[in-house]
């Protein structure tokens, strides 16, 4: 039974992939720029220059990416890469670490692996650019754009038309709350209190983003952290496909995102925030065995440098111990852009947000 279901999901995955190849039509972008914030699900090389940090700047990462190794934590495109293509961007959004002055007006990727909503999150993995610093970096970029365009009114109107994507919070669990030997949070807060405290801080940070001119903002809910190969190896699943207790933990955060979106949209004039139900969209992928495609080294769940990954990468949900494969990212991106089910996005999907 299980293997039949697995086969069906594989067939659906392949169908989704083939559809995607013919789906992308590159033209003029639907919005003038696209700014990205977050953690390793979004990072495209910002951590490469750090000595000790969570990094993916070595093979077999990037094995299916046009430019090879870049620092992306997957075999090919990330979810934000694919959303960028669906929005009509010809080039990938450059990482903050290397972006040029000519490139900044199309958008910048500020994301950094290990970063969280809370400042201390990810300290155990080393250097990272925390969300507060990502916002400071964005402030500097907005000033540079303003200097280039040399017309304040024009710049304000310009950056209000852009799309801002934020995917952060997983590390506040994986590299904070779930590490009681390194962080005190699980002694201080119940799971419910912790979710509430995170959301409160997130709300302030998103208000800062709004004050820097953002109006069209995509908030990704947290993924099923209990279904990652690393979590399954660490905690066991009691015969279930995933570690239910971990998925229930992040659900407390995810369930607060829709009310947060409502609050921000009601409280901030002209704001159009929207929520993407990452866990909901990823649910069918749990029917695929939760096995990493690459060989994993240690509890960090990253690929062993220069190891050979699995061959049929289109049929794998996870690339390493924590990060989805490109084939999963294609499904996530497509359903974020064009919702398949009403529960995929709230109040609307990204294609709708782009047209506002
Ligand atoms: C977090 O870090 C930012 C940027 O470094 C700093 O401005 C802020 O005061 C810090 N917040 C807390 C609560 O420590
Ligand atoms: C500045 O931009 C605004 C809005 O696009 C425009 O109406 C105005 O003419 C511009 N001013 C100058 C001096 O170009
Ligand atoms: C986007 O925001 C504007 C200003 O707050 C609001 O009037 C409009 O209804 C929002 N659009 C949608 C589709 O919710
Ligand atoms: C996400 O989607 C799942 C499955 O469709 C649904 O059960 C869940 O309520 C959704 N979550 C949120 C926060 O909307």
């Amino acid at each position: 039974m299980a293997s039949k279901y697995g086969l069906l999901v594989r067939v659906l995955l392949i169908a989704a992939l083939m559809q995607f190849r013919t789906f992308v039509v590159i033209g003029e972008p639907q919005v003038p720029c696209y700014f990205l914030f977050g953690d390793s699900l979004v990072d495209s090389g910002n951590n490469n220059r750090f000595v000790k940090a969570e990094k993916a700047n070595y093979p077999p990462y990037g094995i299916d990416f046009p430019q090879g190794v870049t620092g992306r934590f997957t075999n090919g495109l990330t979810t934000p890469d694919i959303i960028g293509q669906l929005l009509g961007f010809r080039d990938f959004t450059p990482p903050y670490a290397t972006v040029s002055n000519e490139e900044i007006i199309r958008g910048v990727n500020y994301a950094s692996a290990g970063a969280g909503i809370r400042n201390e999150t990810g300290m155990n993995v080393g250097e990272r650019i925390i969300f507060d610093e990502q916002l400071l970096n964005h402030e500097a970029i907005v000033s540079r754009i303003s200097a280039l365009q040399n017309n304040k009114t024009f710049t304000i109107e310009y950056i209000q038309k852009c799309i801002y994507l934020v995917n952060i919070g997983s590390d506040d669990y994986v590299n904070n709350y779930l590490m009681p030997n390194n962080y005190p949070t699980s002694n201080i807060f119940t799971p419910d209190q912790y979710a509430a405290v995170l959301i409160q801080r997130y709300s302030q940070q998103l208000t800062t983003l709004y004050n820097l001119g953002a109006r069209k903002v995509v908030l990704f809910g947290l993924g099923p952290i209990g279904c990652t190969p690393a979590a399954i190896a660490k905690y066991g699943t009691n015969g279930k496909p995933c570690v239910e207790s971990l998925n229930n933990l992040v659900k407390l955060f995810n369930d607060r995102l829709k009310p947060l979106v409502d609050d921000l949209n009601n409280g901030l004039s002209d704001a159009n925030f929207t929520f993407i139900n990452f866990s909901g969209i990823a649910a069918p992928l749990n029917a695929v065995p939760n096995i990493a495609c690459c060989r994993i080294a240690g509890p960090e769940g990253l690929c062993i440098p220069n190891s050979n990954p699995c061959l049929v990468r289109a049929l794998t949900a996870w690339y390493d111990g924590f990060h989805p494969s490109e084939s999963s990212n294609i499904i996530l991106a497509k359903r974020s852009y064009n919702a398949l089910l009403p529960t995929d996005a709230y109040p609307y999907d990204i294609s709708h947000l782009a047209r506002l």
Side-chain angles (χ1 to χ4, degrees), residues 150-155 157:
N150 199 21
N151 177 338
K152 269 216 159 72
T153 317
F154 182 86
T155 299
E157 289 172 1

Side-chain angles (χ1 to χ4, degrees), residues 251 254-258 275 277-281 283 335 341-344 346:
K251 187 174 183 297
N254 287 337
D255 284 346
R256 284 175 161 82
L257 284 175
K258 273 174 157 175
F275 158 74
N277 188 349
F278 187 161
S279 281
I281 296 172
R335 284 177 61 174
L341 300 177
T343 50
D344 286 354
Y346 175 85

Side-chain angles (χ1 to χ4, degrees), residues 265 268-272 348 352 356:
N265 285 342
L268 304 171
S269 67
D270 294 333
N272 294 114
Y348 28 71
H352 188 130
L356 291 179

Side-chain angles (χ1 to χ4, degrees), residues 12-318:
L12 290 175
L13 269 172
I14 298 173
L17 280 172
M18 299 205 307
Q19 204 187 344
F20 179 73
R21 296 294 173 207
T22 54
F23 181 84
V24 181
V25 182
I26 308 288
E28 263 304 287
Q30 295 162 37
V31 291
C33 45
Y34 179 43
F35 292 97
L36 310 174
F37 301 81
D39 53 29
S40 56
L41 294 166
V42 184
D43 193 348
S44 61
N46 283 315
N47 278 14
N48 293 354
R49 67 198 159 97
F50 296 145
V51 178
K52 184 185 185 298
E54 197 176 298
K55 290 190 278 192
N57 58 343
Y58 58 84
Y61 289 108
I63 188 168
D64 300 312
F65 192 76
Q67 287 97 291
V69 171
T70 57
R72 286 171 170 78
F73 288 77
T74 187
N75 54 309
L77 306 179
T78 63
T79 301
D81 284 335
I82 301 158
I83 292 170
Q85 292 185 334
L86 293 168
L87 287 169
F89 287 94
R90 197 165 44 84
D91 299 319
F92 297 115
T93 307
Y96 178 74
T98 57
V99 70
S100 71
N101 233 22
E102 295 81 70
E103 291 168 325
I104 58 176
I105 58 159
R106 286 279 187 216
V108 178
N109 183 347
Y110 305 99
S112 168
I117 292 169
R118 291 172 68 87
N119 283 9
E120 82 275 11
T121 290
M123 245 162 51
N124 56 300
V125 295
E127 289 182 82
R128 70 254 173 258
I129 308 162
I130 61 176
F131 190 34
D132 273 5
E133 281 172 41
Q134 294 181 28
L135 292 166
L136 289 172
N137 291 341
H138 181 58
E139 187 174 4
I141 289 286
V142 171
S143 302
R144 278 167 66 184
I145 293 174
S146 185
L148 284 172
Q149 292 179 334
N150 199 21
N151 177 338
K152 269 216 159 72
T153 317
F154 182 86
T155 299
I156 290 168
E157 289 172 1
Y158 181 84
I159 59 173
Q160 288 186 346
K161 293 182 201 136
C162 305
I163 286 193
Y164 300 75
L165 182 150
V166 192
N167 189 347
I168 199 150
S170 306
D171 285 284
D172 292 293
Y173 287 94
V174 175
N175 286 310
N176 188 331
Y177 197 75
L178 292 166
M179 294 192 119
N181 295 333
N182 302 57
Y183 300 91
T185 42
S186 60
N187 284 322
I188 303 174
F189 304 114
T190 65
D192 205 49
Q193 286 169 339
Y194 189 61
V197 163
L198 286 179
I199 290 289
Q200 193 186 11
R201 184 113 166 76
Y202 200 24
S203 173
Q204 294 164 349
Q205 291 162 328
L206 293 168
T207 304
T208 301
L209 181 60
Y210 169 89
N211 288 334
L212 293 171
R215 293 296 177 270
K216 299 180 170 193
V217 186
V218 182
L219 303 184
F220 266 78
L222 305 187
I225 62 167
C227 301
T228 61
I232 290 169
K234 184 169 174 192
Y235 299 96
T237 62
N238 244 326
K240 301 259 173 60
C242 300
V243 188
E244 298 294 326
S245 57
L246 295 193
N247 287 348
N248 292 338
L249 192 62
V250 295
K251 187 174 183 297
L252 297 170
F253 178 87
N254 287 337
D255 284 346
R256 284 175 161 82
L257 284 175
K258 273 174 157 175
L260 174 65
V261 159
D262 283 337
D263 284 352
L264 293 167
N265 285 342
N266 293 332
L268 304 171
S269 67
D270 294 333
N272 294 114
F273 284 77
T274 196
F275 158 74
I276 301 296
N277 188 349
F278 187 161
S279 281
I281 296 172
L285 296 172
N286 299 338
V288 182
N290 290 311
I291 299 168
C293 169
C294 75
R295 288 175 47 219
I296 296 168
E300 280 88 45
L302 298 180
C303 299
I304 295 176
N306 302 307
S307 60
N308 290 325
C310 65
L311 289 177
V312 192
R313 289 180 288 279
L315 302 184
T316 183
W318 300 98

